[in-house]
Amino acid sequence: MMMKIGLDIGTGFVKCVSDYGAVRFPSIYVRRIHGLWTEKATEAVGSKASSLLDTMGATAISPIIRGKPDSRYYKQVDMLLAETMRQVRGLAKAPADTDAKLRIVVGLPYHAFGYRESMVRVIQKALSVEACTVVAQASGTLVDLDLESAIVVSIGQGTTEIVVIDDMEIIDGESSRWASDFVTRKIGRYAHLDTDLLHKNHDVCHRYARIMAENLSREIHDVSGQYGNRYAIALSGGGLLIPGMRERLAAKLKEFKVVVPDDPVMSNANGLYKLAE
């Protein structure tokens, strides 16, 4: 039996679409020392880790930095991959075949594409993988939209991908630092984990979303202008959940045809799964 998986391991969240369904959880690791009287520690990733953030003695790590595993935290990346598979198998209506081989398509940011061989090695070491292919994250959004050409703008927590794809071939791109953390860090280091918190800070989000949209749109115009402004703009990514971001960015791009997937957060993973199929 072969299980197919589309995997997008972001700075903020792990997004995965599989034969059994979709999972999404925080891309975070927490280690907690229980007290000075004992050396025993609690380790956790994902949602359990985020629930420990505010507890006594907790330290947090983001194992994925701007799209690639931090070389200091390969153990934590392995834990994120193991948690992904635990949740995927938990979705199975019948007991999942734990010996099933995996066919995985992973998305990487444009600037991190040179690390694709390293990512394949990490995944093959952690999981039983029959085939692992690494593609640009932006390809997932395009496939999810059933398009073959566009400028994909995927707003993540660590980077925003601006990638030109023509007839499913990547011809140009950049990974912009104008990403979600520019806004969310004004509220708190891990504010991106709680959309309710972002909405409670509606005014702050709108204020900084305006600045980010203005600067990001300038970069999009620069890239598009190099290709005669002939491509539609495909927007995706969790950054579109920030209050005010989607509206302000669309207003700055009103001269373009702008398309947005039904689920912009899971769009990359949805498309990567279709590629795995």
Side-chain angles (χ1 to χ4, degrees), residues 7-13 15 66-67 107-111 135-145 150-165 170 172-181 212 216-217 219-220 223 232-242 245 249 253 258-261 263-272:
L7 183 61
D8 179 3
I9 310 177
T11 302
F13 288 87
K15 285 87 64 180
R66 302 194 184 281
L108 280 182
Y110 185 84
H111 81 102
V135 302
Q137 283 177 349
S139 301
T141 289
L142 206 65
V143 171
D144 188 39
L145 286 165
I151 295 177
V152 177
V153 180
S154 185
I155 307 172
Q157 181 65 12
T159 65
T160 291
E161 300 298 289
I162 306 174
V163 181
V164 184
I165 304 179
I170 294 175
D172 200 359
E174 64 178 66
S175 294
S176 172
R177 292 299 183 97
W178 289 102
S180 295
D181 60 354
M212 180 174 158
L216 188 54
S217 67
E219 294 188 12
I220 296 168
V223 171
I233 307 296
L235 299 179
S236 67
L240 294 179
L241 299 183
I242 295 173
M245 182 64 70
L249 191 54
L253 301 172
V258 176
V259 292
V260 182
D263 187 346
V265 175
M266 296 296 294
S267 179
N268 282 338
N270 283 330
L272 296 173

Side-chain angles (χ1 to χ4, degrees), residues 105-144:
V105 176
V106 186
L108 280 182
Y110 185 84
H111 81 102
F113 205 58
Y115 294 89
R116 58 190 181 278
E117 292 182 3
S118 176
M119 178 61 84
V120 169
R121 287 195 296 271
V122 169
I123 290 174
Q124 287 178 333
K125 177 177 176 292
L127 304 173
S128 175
V129 179
E130 181 74 15
C132 181
T133 303
V134 177
V135 302
Q137 283 177 349
S139 301
T141 289
L142 206 65
V143 171
D144 188 39

Side-chain angles (χ1 to χ4, degrees), residues 33-252:
I33 300 295
H34 290 283
L36 297 175
W37 59 90
T38 177
E39 292 297 319
K40 185 178 179 182
T42 296
E43 293 183 296
V45 294
S47 299
K48 183 178 179 181
S50 64
S51 70
L52 298 175
L53 278 173
D54 297 324
T55 61
M56 185 71 70
T59 57
I61 292 169
S62 295
I64 304 294
I65 303 297
R66 302 194 184 281
K68 59 187 178 68
D70 189 313
S71 59
R72 296 169 296 175
Y73 305 130
Y74 282 130
K75 170 192 170 184
Q76 287 77 14
V77 174
D78 287 350
M79 290 176 68
L80 288 174
L81 291 170
E83 175 64 11
T84 301
M85 293 310 304
R86 187 191 70 79
Q87 291 200 28
V88 164
R89 291 188 169 111
L91 293 172
K93 294 180 180 178
D97 181 1
T98 56
D99 295 324
K101 296 294 184 181
L102 305 177
R103 179 186 298 146
I104 300 179
V105 176
V106 186
L108 280 182
Y110 185 84
H111 81 102
F113 205 58
Y115 294 89
R116 58 190 181 278
E117 292 182 3
S118 176
M119 178 61 84
V120 169
R121 287 195 296 271
V122 169
I123 290 174
Q124 287 178 333
K125 177 177 176 292
L127 304 173
S128 175
V129 179
E130 181 74 15
C132 181
T133 303
V134 177
V135 302
Q137 283 177 349
S139 301
T141 289
L142 206 65
V143 171
D144 188 39
L145 286 165
D146 292 322
L147 296 176
E148 295 183 349
S149 302
I151 295 177
V152 177
V153 180
S154 185
I155 307 172
Q157 181 65 12
T159 65
T160 291
E161 300 298 289
I162 306 174
V163 181
V164 184
I165 304 179
D166 189 294
D167 196 21
M168 289 308 297
E169 180 182 355
I170 294 175
I171 59 176
D172 200 359
E174 64 178 66
S175 294
S176 172
R177 292 299 183 97
W178 289 102
S180 295
D181 60 354
F182 172 74
V183 179
T184 60
R185 282 180 178 266
K186 304 300 186 295
I187 301 167
R189 182 181 176 188
Y190 294 107
H192 63 282
L193 301 179
D194 186 354
T195 53
D196 288 338
L197 182 61
L198 297 180
H199 285 285
K200 288 177 183 176
N201 290 269
H202 182 274
D203 292 343
V204 173
C205 287
H206 272 268
R207 186 184 317 135
Y208 288 101
R210 177 183 60 79
I211 298 170
M212 180 174 158
E214 184 174 331
N215 285 277
L216 188 54
S217 67
R218 189 177 298 119
E219 294 188 12
I220 296 168
H221 277 90
D222 287 345
V223 171
S224 180
Q226 297 176 39
Y227 299 93
N229 296 321
R230 67 179 183 269
Y231 295 107
I233 307 296
L235 299 179
S236 67
L240 294 179
L241 299 183
I242 295 173
M245 182 64 70
R246 182 168 175 172
E247 298 84 350
R248 292 185 181 279
L249 191 54
K252 294 288 184 181

